[in-house]
């Protein structure tokens, strides 16, 4: 019956605009759309990538990487082998750790040209003795000639010839703790044995116009050999 039908567009009251009926949106395929509230219990929070509008990143593996002792030993061996080869090359081909031998002639000539004291030098020291330093210089109170040697046993020895007064020279070379330890005859001269700094010892020869000192950490026999060879 026409009286029982509900008009599709109900006529609004007088003076009001027509109102369109509200219908739920249909999902594609004729299925109703499912809408899940953002605060629905159990819903996973959005990721940072989703918040930025980009695709989600790959999953992060939080497991710690573990290396066996064998792997660590192999890695250490790989590092040590090149170092060992470099050291061998440095020592074998480049002369690493070998002392630099110098020519003492220029320092001896300068000392003789200055003519401040008689200049002597060792003669016939023998094989294994190497001159590693030679220097003549004017200092306060006089002049010094220093000749440094590496002994056959690999120790150090130095010959000092000086015109500096002994009361100033000896404390500076032997330290204030240097004490006489007796006499010894070498090469026809009487030397005085002294203690010196650290493990060093010294032989001292006092002459009217100069003082000679043989000092170093070399053995007593090598220091005596050096002092006895001075000419």
């Amino acid at each position: 019956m026409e009286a029982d039908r509900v008009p599709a567009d109900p006529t609004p009251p007088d003076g009001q605009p027509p109102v369109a009926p509200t219908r739920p949106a249909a999902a594609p395929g004729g299925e109703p759309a499912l809408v899940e509230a953002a605060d629905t219990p159990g819903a996973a929070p959005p990721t940072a990538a989703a918040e930025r509008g980009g695709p989600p990143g790959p999953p992060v593996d939080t497991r710690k990487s573990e290396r066996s002792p064998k792997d660590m030993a192999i890695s250490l061996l790989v590092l040590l082998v090149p170092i060992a080869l470099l050291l061998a090359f440095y020592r074998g081909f480049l002369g690493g750790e070998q002392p630099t031998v110098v020519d003492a002639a220029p320092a001896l000539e300068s000392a003789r040209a200055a003519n401040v004291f008689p200049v002597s030098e060792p003669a016939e020291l023998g094989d294994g003795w190497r001159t590693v330093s030679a220097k003549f210089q004017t200092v306060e109170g006089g002049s010094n000639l220093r000749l440094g040697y590496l002994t056959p046993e690999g120790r150090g020895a130095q010959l000092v010839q000086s015109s500096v007064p002994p009361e100033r020279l000896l404390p500076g070379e032997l330290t204030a703790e240097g004490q006489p330890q007796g006499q010894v005859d070498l090469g026809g001269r009487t030397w005085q044995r002294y203690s010196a700094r650290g493990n060093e010892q010294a032989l001292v020869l006092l002459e009217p116009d100069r003082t000679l000192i043989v000092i170093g950490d070399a053995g007593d026999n090598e220091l005596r050999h050096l002092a006895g060879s001075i000419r």
Side-chain angles (χ1 to χ4, degrees):
M1 296 175 60
E2 294 183 2
D4 296 332
R5 294 180 181 177
V6 177
D9 296 322
T11 302
D14 295 339
Q16 299 295 330
V19 178
T22 303
R23 297 179 183 178
E31 296 180 358
L34 298 179
V35 179
E36 185 177 11
D39 56 352
T40 303
T47 62
E51 292 179 354
R52 293 192 301 266
V60 179
D61 187 3
T62 58
R63 294 176 299 176
K64 295 182 179 179
S65 60
E66 297 182 356
R67 301 180 64 185
S68 66
K70 180 180 179 181
D71 294 336
M72 298 178 66
I74 293 176
S75 300
L76 183 61
L77 183 62
V78 170
L79 292 175
L80 291 179
V81 169
I83 295 176
L85 292 176
L86 287 174
L87 287 176
F89 178 78
Y90 173 71
R91 294 177 178 177
F93 295 93
L94 301 181
E97 299 184 358
Q98 295 296 324
T100 302
V101 177
V102 302
D103 183 10
L108 291 167
E109 292 174 1
S110 297
R112 291 189 175 105
N115 197 28
V116 291
F117 53 76
V119 177
S120 301
E121 60 182 301
E124 300 178 358
L125 278 176
D127 295 336
W129 286 82
R130 286 166 287 183
T131 306
V132 294
S133 64
K135 185 177 183 180
F136 173 75
Q137 62 182 154
T138 299
V139 297
E140 184 178 356
S143 299
N144 292 336
L145 173 62
R146 298 179 183 274
L147 303 178
Y149 300 92
L150 187 67
T151 72
E153 296 181 1
R155 312 302 288 270
Q158 186 176 156
L159 168 61
V160 180
Q161 303 176 63
S162 178
S163 61
V164 177
E167 59 271 15
R168 294 184 55 183
L169 178 66
L170 296 183
E173 298 294 329
L174 312 179
T175 74
E177 288 75 25
Q179 297 296 325
Q181 304 292 318
Q183 295 179 343
V184 58
D185 292 330
L186 300 169
R189 300 168 177 171
T190 300
W191 294 72
Q192 182 72 51
R193 297 176 60 248
Y194 272 83
S195 60
R197 61 176 64 87
N199 61 339
E200 294 182 345
Q201 53 185 337
L203 297 170
V204 178
L205 179 64
L206 300 177
E207 294 184 341
D209 46 9
R210 68 173 179 175
T211 300
L212 282 77
I213 302 176
V214 174
I215 185 172
D217 63 353
D220 183 68
N221 60 325
E222 289 184 320
L223 293 180
R224 291 187 182 202
H225 177 69
L226 175 58
S229 67
I230 296 174
R231 300 290 184 267

